[in-house]
Amino acid sequence: MPAILLDVDGVFHISGRPIDGVGDAVRRLRDDGHRLRFVTNNTTSSRADLAEDLRALGVELDDEELETTPRAAARVLAGKRVLALTMAAIRSELEGVHLVGEEAEAVLLGGADETDEPNRVFSYMNLARAFAELEAGADLYCLHKNRWWQTKHGPALDAGAFVAGLEYAAQVDATVLGKPSTAYFEAALKALDADAGLTWMVGDDIEADIAGAQAHGMRTILVRTGKFRPDAVEASRVRPEGIISSIAQLPDWLEEHL
């Protein structure tokens, strides 16, 4: 049976509020023989906390089944001196990375959350410090470059805006470590020992999830929850193989179309 990569935010929950039927959907997918990997651009919680949050929604999974962007950063930036503008909760995930306040080899930006912590992390002083390090020769990395994400209160500005600002100011290009980067998808496929052409990506983001997975040779399914916007789909040249109402419909859709 095909392997399946499952996005988390917007697919399983919105601001912690579960999408109906997520637990049953995952159980059915496992019973049908699919190998699963949960792939998230969440940059505000540790992998253990993310896994526990999913279990609280009724989803059965092991921590190791989660592919996270901080873990990707730890692989790429191991041994480097890094100025990290990230939420404090993920610092422990950056194993092997030397976190510094100056004379950095790399600048790393994480994402925002719904607390007041982004006010401190992405302050003018911190962004100016990051700019100075880039001007001195540091490389720019980001855990993702999302422009916004969906909350229970509506769309919220994400840290991709700050990444773009630093790119503009320092005249550099950021290396994206999470979706839609090839390295991130390759790590998830390697964990499943799966071929891209025999793997499905399920997500709510037409750019990071669907376009990113298609560029890597995977087939895709877009859910109408989370960041889904009909006008964005119509305006995009990206066409998923399927569009379903939510992840609850996924097992039935796969049974009909495989």
Side-chain angles (χ1 to χ4, degrees), residues 15 27 40 46 59 63 95 104 126 136 160 165 180 198 214 233 244 255:
S15 294
R27 279 190 289 274
T40 177
S46 68
V59 177
D63 291 8
E95 282 185 54
N126 285 346
L198 300 176
Q214 287 184 355
V233 176
I244 59 178
E255 283 186 6

Side-chain angles (χ1 to χ4, degrees), residues 1 18 31 47 50 55 64 86 93 96-97 119 121 128-129 132-133 142 152 155 174 192 199 215 219 226 235:
M1 297 297 288
D31 290 343
R47 182 168 70 166
L50 289 171
R55 285 190 282 267
E64 292 72 23
T86 68
E93 303 287 292
V97 177
N119 294 334
V121 172
R129 178 72 255 163
E133 294 296 333
C142 57
K152 60 188 177 185
L192 290 175
T199 302
R219 292 176 287 179

Side-chain angles (χ1 to χ4, degrees), residues 130-148:
F131 169 71
E133 294 296 333
L134 295 172
E135 283 289 281
D139 297 317
L140 179 58
Y141 293 84
C142 57
L143 296 181
H144 63 66
K145 203 176 177 181
N146 294 357
R147 293 172 293 157
W148 62 282

Side-chain angles (χ1 to χ4, degrees), residues 43-44 70 73 77 82-91 94 97-102 104 106-113 117-134 139-144 158-160 162-163 166:
T43 65
T44 61
L77 299 175
V82 177
L83 173 65
L85 303 189
T86 68
M87 302 296 108
I90 68 166
R91 296 295 182 92
L94 300 174
V97 177
H98 302 303
L99 301 178
V100 299
E102 58 185 5
V107 171
L108 173 67
L109 264 69
D113 65 14
E117 190 176 3
N119 294 334
R120 300 186 298 276
V121 172
F122 303 115
S123 67
Y124 176 81
M125 182 176 67
N126 285 346
L127 291 170
R129 178 72 255 163
F131 169 71
E133 294 296 333
L134 295 172
D139 297 317
L140 179 58
Y141 293 84
C142 57
L143 296 181
H144 63 66
D158 213 332
F162 304 123
V163 176
L166 287 173

Side-chain angles (χ1 to χ4, degrees), residues 7-190:
D7 181 32
V8 177
D9 290 5
V11 174
F12 286 90
H13 68 87
I14 298 172
S15 294
R17 294 181 178 177
I19 306 296
D20 290 342
V22 294
D24 288 340
V26 170
R27 279 190 289 274
R28 283 189 58 190
L29 292 172
R30 293 193 192 279
D31 290 343
D32 290 343
H34 296 289
R35 289 167 292 150
L36 306 181
R37 191 78 174 171
F38 301 81
V39 292
T40 177
N41 268 358
N42 182 293
T43 65
T44 61
S45 300
S46 68
R47 182 168 70 166
D49 286 343
L50 289 171
E52 190 57 41
D53 289 343
L54 281 170
R55 285 190 282 267
L57 301 180
V59 177
E60 297 176 2
L61 81 159
D62 295 327
D63 291 8
E64 292 72 23
E65 291 182 286
L66 264 171
E67 194 74 29
T68 68
T69 52
R71 292 299 178 109
R75 288 193 295 268
V76 172
L77 299 175
K80 292 185 181 293
R81 292 173 55 84
V82 177
L83 173 65
L85 303 189
T86 68
M87 302 296 108
I90 68 166
R91 296 295 182 92
S92 62
E93 303 287 292
L94 300 174
E95 282 185 54
V97 177
H98 302 303
L99 301 178
V100 299
E102 58 185 5
E103 298 181 358
E105 297 173 80
V107 171
L108 173 67
L109 264 69
D113 65 14
E114 296 180 60
T115 70
D116 62 357
E117 190 176 3
N119 294 334
R120 300 186 298 276
V121 172
F122 303 115
S123 67
Y124 176 81
M125 182 176 67
N126 285 346
L127 291 170
R129 178 72 255 163
F131 169 71
E133 294 296 333
L134 295 172
E135 283 289 281
D139 297 317
L140 179 58
Y141 293 84
C142 57
L143 296 181
H144 63 66
K145 203 176 177 181
N146 294 357
R147 293 172 293 157
W148 62 282
W149 85 100
Q150 184 66 31
T151 76
K152 60 188 177 185
H153 303 296
L157 181 70
D158 213 332
F162 304 123
V163 176
L166 287 173
E167 286 181 315
Y168 169 73
Q171 295 184 302
V172 298
D173 293 322
T175 297
V176 180
L177 298 170
K179 294 176 293 182
S181 74
T182 294
Y184 185 84
F185 282 122
E186 283 181 348
L189 292 170
K190 182 179 180 181

